[in-house]
Amino acid sequence: MKSEIHNIVILTGAGVSAESGIDTFRSEGGLWEQHRIEDVATPEGFSRDPDLVLRFYDMRRAAIQTKRPNPAHQALARLDAEWPGELLIVTQNVDDLHERAGASRVLHMHGEHLNAWCIACDTRSPWTKSLIERPPCPACNARALRPDVVWFGEMPYRMDEIYAAMARADLFVSIGTSGAVYPAAGLVRNAREIGIQTLELNLERSQGSQWFHATRLGPASEVVTGWVEEMLS
Ligand code: BV8
């Protein structure tokens, strides 16, 4: 399968950051069990109780800054650096562990914890502190900053770039995602429609497993490292 592969699109989800100690959403005790999605990850929830939402994201923004990339992030960063063809890591994750492992061709389709988005002037600014105190926007001074994260019902970022990369790809690899949320979960079907090889690397079977030519089960630190070594050998 390897010989005719030039361009790769990789989709990652919370499972790639699990071994770094970042909670996933749907495992027991995961993030969504502690909060109702509708209350903390929708615009309606934000307008209903902004403090609850700002605290939820302040806690996660602080938490990710105490975590480190794991071998799966490092393997993907190595592939990014050494793969001769096109490669795009489309991540659903809002942590920065792909970048901190050294990857550069990363696209955050659901936004980033370490950015704040000003509702008043639409500017996105790097942000590592909390938002609960309603700090002023660095660009316009308005106290109108929200997490730069795509909530349910909001359009994911840069979908046109993602579909364009898929159209040029020979291989689509999904890593550490439950395949529960669209349009991310639909990418494997786009891949199958245009005849791309598809591979899933995940701890357990996902909601999309039946759409993949192959699924390799195991922790990302093992299955991703093994797959990258295979691709670069
Ligand atoms: C949109 C950012 C359109 C926030 C997130 C009915 C049918 C189809 C679609 C819909 C529908 N009703 C509503 C929709 C649309 C909705 C949706 O899909 N809902 C679902 C619930 C049905 N989608 C949206 O609203 C999206 N927008 O559709 O816009 C539109 C059109 C026009 C105009 C306007 C809009 C926006 C969705 C984005 C929501 N934001 N995150 C935040 O992070 O706080 S979603 C969040 O959950 C993640 O970003 C991710 O996308 C999603 C799934 O999470 P995963 O990453 O997969 O994590 P999960 O815990 O679920 O799974 C972890 C996996 O890892 C597991 O499989 C586990 O086995 C594995 N794992 C665990 N440990 C390891 C491991 N694997 C390897 N190694 C390990 N160690």
Side-chain angles (χ1 to χ4, degrees):
M1 173 174 107
K2 212 179 69 179
S3 55
E4 70 281 5
I5 293 170
H6 306 284
N7 302 335
I8 306 173
V9 172
I10 297 168
L11 174 70
T12 65
V16 81
S17 297
E19 290 162 272
S20 297
I22 294 182
D23 285 345
T24 63
F25 293 92
R26 289 169 183 80
S27 319
E28 59 288 338
L31 280 167
W32 295 144
E33 271 181 18
Q34 301 152 39
H35 297 279
R36 278 169 12 104
I37 287 182
E38 301 76 8
D39 296 339
V40 290
T42 60
E44 297 76 18
F46 183 58
S47 53
R48 192 167 51 240
D49 188 346
D51 281 14
L52 171 72
V53 175
L54 292 177
R55 277 202 192 86
F56 177 62
Y57 284 95
D58 283 353
M59 175 269 291
R60 290 171 64 200
R61 187 180 314 106
I64 65 164
Q65 296 178 67
T66 69
K67 311 296 184 192
R68 283 190 303 282
N70 68 57
H73 296 110
Q74 284 149 3
L76 291 174
R78 182 177 159 226
L79 186 66
D80 182 21
E82 298 178 20
W83 185 254
E86 284 188 37
L87 182 136
L88 180 64
I89 299 171
V90 178
T91 187
Q92 302 170 85
N93 300 338
V94 288
D95 65 55
D96 64 335
L97 294 184
H98 282 304
E99 291 87 345
R100 281 175 39 209
S104 53
R105 295 181 276 187
V106 180
L107 191 162
H108 286 269
M109 67 183 292
H110 290 161
E112 299 176 67
H113 271 320
L114 299 183
N115 273 353
W117 178 19
C118 180
I119 304 172
C121 72
D122 203 28
T123 305
R124 286 168 171 78
S125 312
W127 201 267
T128 56
K129 306 185 295 286
S130 56
L131 292 173
I132 189 70
E133 311 84 4
R134 306 309 195 279
C137 163
C140 77
N141 249 348
R143 294 177 182 280
L145 294 175
R146 61 162 271 187
D148 182 22
V149 166
V150 176
W151 286 327
F152 288 94
E154 296 184 328
M155 183 57 88
Y157 292 155
R158 301 165 63 187
M159 290 306 295
D160 51 340
E161 286 176 59
I162 295 170
Y163 290 127
M166 294 287 285
R168 296 192 302 271
D170 314 291
L171 174 63
F172 173 72
V173 185
S174 175
I175 301 172
T177 181
S178 60
V181 172
Y182 291 81
L187 290 175
V188 62
R189 285 186 234 183
N190 302 120
R192 294 305 301 268
E193 275 155 25
I194 49 183
I196 300 177
Q197 278 292 332
T198 56
L199 171 66
E200 179 182 39
L201 308 177
N202 208 48
L203 187 65
E204 60 209 353
R205 286 182 66 76
S206 70
Q207 294 182 31
S209 290
Q210 81 263 30
W211 296 96
F212 289 90
H213 291 106
T215 292
R216 297 183 191 175
L217 299 181
S221 60
E222 289 168 25
V223 292
V224 174
T225 313
W227 172 68
V228 166
E229 274 155 20
E230 208 178 282
M231 294 300 287
L232 293 178
S233 66

